[in-house]
């Protein structure tokens, strides 16, 4: 059985919302991002999240808080973000946070070691999960 869709039912992907086309509440978030990061424009992640202004605002506020200076060095935070993004398969987040990590001082050698750790963690995690390894008493 073959199903045919009518031409008028073609799904159009969402387009990034540019500053000039944005609602006032979205422009306010964009302006805050640009000021905080000292950039002329927000990147595509924010332009797509702008399709739901409450999500845009909440995500920006949470990210700004989590990535703010704290007990962890900014480079460490960015490298953790890269590691999780690699594990989750988010190409956009990998590139975005790799660039941020490099701006924070990450070297090629550090990136190489980070990828080695990510790969090894994923391998051993899957082995432990597959073998259903019980947690040792000493680790509880």
């Amino acid at each position: 059985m073959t199903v045919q869709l009518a031409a008028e039912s073609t799904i159009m992907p969402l387009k990034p919302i540019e500053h000039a086309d944005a609602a006032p509440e979205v422009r306010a978030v964009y302006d805050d991002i640009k000021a905080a990061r000292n950039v002329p424009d927000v990147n595509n992640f924010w332009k797509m999240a702008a399709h739901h202004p409450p999500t845009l605002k909440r995500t920006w506020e949470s990210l700004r808080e989590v990535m703010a200076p704290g007990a962890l060095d900014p480079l460490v935070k960015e490298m953790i973000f890269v590691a999780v993004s690699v594990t989750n398969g988010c190409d956009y987040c990998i590139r975005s946070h790799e660039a941020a990590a490099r701006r924070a001082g990450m070297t090629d050698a550090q990136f190489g070691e980070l990828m080695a750790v990510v790969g090894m963690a994923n391998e051993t995690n899957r082995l432990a999960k597959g073998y259903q390894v019980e947690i040792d008493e000493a680790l509880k």
Side-chain angles (χ1 to χ4, degrees), residues 4 10 19-20 22 25 30 35 37 41 48 50 52 56 58 64 66 71 86 93 97 101 111 117 120 135:
Q4 292 183 330
T10 301
H19 190 279
E25 68 265 28
Y30 283 4
R37 294 185 167 175
D41 196 11
M48 294 304 285
H52 189 250
L56 171 70
R58 183 190 72 250
R64 184 176 54 195
V66 168
V86 167
C93 296
H97 290 278
F111 183 75
V117 171
M120 184 53 51
I135 298 174

Side-chain angles (χ1 to χ4, degrees), residues 34-47:
K34 292 190 301 186
R37 294 185 167 175
N38 194 28
V39 294
D41 196 11
V42 299
N43 62 28
N44 286 337
F45 175 82
W46 302 113
K47 290 177 182 180

Side-chain angles (χ1 to χ4, degrees), residues 16 22 28-29 35 40 46 57 64 69 74 85 94 99-100 102 107 112 114 118 134:
V29 175
W46 302 113
K57 185 176 190 298
R64 184 176 54 195
S85 299
I94 294 166
R102 290 191 181 280
T107 65
L114 176 63
V118 169
E134 289 186 40

Side-chain angles (χ1 to χ4, degrees), residues 5-85:
L5 297 176
E8 60 271 4
S9 68
T10 301
I11 298 172
M12 299 299 294
L14 293 174
K15 302 281 187 212
I17 297 176
E18 300 297 332
H19 190 279
D21 303 320
E25 68 265 28
V26 169
R27 282 191 202 136
V29 175
Y30 283 4
D31 292 342
D32 192 37
I33 294 168
K34 292 190 301 186
R37 294 185 167 175
N38 194 28
V39 294
D41 196 11
V42 299
N43 62 28
N44 286 337
F45 175 82
W46 302 113
K47 290 177 182 180
M48 294 304 285
H51 284 279
H52 189 250
T55 297
L56 171 70
K57 185 176 190 298
R58 183 190 72 250
T59 304
W60 167 242
E61 289 172 353
S62 294
L63 184 74
R64 184 176 54 195
E65 181 181 329
V66 168
M67 299 305 281
L72 293 176
D73 177 90
L75 175 57
V76 170
K77 288 184 178 189
E78 291 297 346
M79 290 174 74
I80 291 168
F81 219 119
V82 171
V84 173
S85 299

